Amino acid sequence: MSVSRCPVVPALPLPPAAPGPETLAYSFTLPAQPTSPALARAASREMLRAHGLADLVDPALQAVSELVAVACRFTASADVYLSLRYRAAALRVIAYDSHPRHTHPRLAEACDTRRRAALRFLACVCRACDGAWGFDEAREPGGGTRMWATLPGEGARSYGSPPALRGGLPKSVSTWRPTVT
């Protein structure tokens, strides 16, 4: 009989627990190709559903798609990086591309303006969910740019609902009465 230095793995007494919202934490690399937003949407949809966050799918997939598309457009490398996390009742989607910050102020301003314009739909999605978005220099070793969107669970769940269903009618609507002549 031989002695091994490898530890014996004990059998698990219980099956692993089903994933929940607070355990959603995924990061993956995608090719910088026109098909990557669709791949990112498909993967993200399954991740959200598996973690019981199916009610966030619509705004989350729009955010994922916009961030990946812009990252693919701006990157100078062959791939982009996407991260999804759900913490403190909010979904945070982050995309990284390799496009570095410009050192010349005018070039930096022009590039930021182009990126901001490319993310205008993301801005609308975040505003509708009472979330936030932005971009800045990536601090990771590879450098480049980090773009992000934060979608609070409550706001994202009401995404696409008429304003009347998101907290009541505005005063100007609730006090309006038709005039019969």
Side-chain angles (χ1 to χ4, degrees):
M1 181 165 140
S2 65
V3 177
S4 171
R5 290 184 176 205
C6 296
V8 177
V9 179
L12 295 175
L14 299 173
E22 293 296 325
T23 62
L24 181 94
Y26 294 93
S27 300
F28 51 99
T29 303
L30 295 156
Q33 298 292 323
T35 55
S36 287
L39 290 170
R41 284 192 307 271
S44 298
R45 179 182 296 112
E46 294 309 314
M47 292 172 199
L48 290 165
R49 287 181 179 163
H51 286 268
L53 295 168
D55 50 349
L56 304 184
V57 164
D58 289 341
L61 296 186
Q62 289 182 331
V64 164
S65 190
E66 292 296 308
L67 289 169
V68 171
V70 172
C72 288
R73 180 178 171 192
F74 278 82
T75 195
S77 67
D79 52 18
V80 296
Y81 179 82
L82 181 68
S83 170
L84 284 91
R85 303 274 186 274
Y86 189 83
R87 300 288 184 274
L91 178 68
R92 183 149 174 114
V93 183
I94 304 172
Y96 294 90
D97 64 61
S98 66
H99 185 73
R101 297 285 302 167
H102 296 280
T103 56
H104 191 279
R106 285 190 192 145
L107 288 175
E109 184 180 339
C111 190
D112 286 354
T113 300
R114 281 193 294 277
R115 191 177 290 264
R116 198 172 292 108
L119 293 169
R120 65 186 171 273
F121 186 70
L122 175 68
C124 294
V125 171
C126 290
R127 186 171 41 253
C129 296
D130 294 325
W133 68 280
F135 59 90
D136 55 14
E137 186 173 2
R139 295 182 202 105
E140 284 66 28
T145 302
R146 174 181 73 114
M147 298 176 290
W148 53 270
T150 303
L151 304 173
E154 186 177 326
R157 284 181 184 88
S158 65
Y159 179 76
S161 300
L165 300 178
R166 282 191 267 151
L169 294 170
K171 284 187 176 182
S172 60
V173 176
S174 63
T175 59
W176 179 80
R177 302 282 184 249
T179 306
V180 180
T181 56

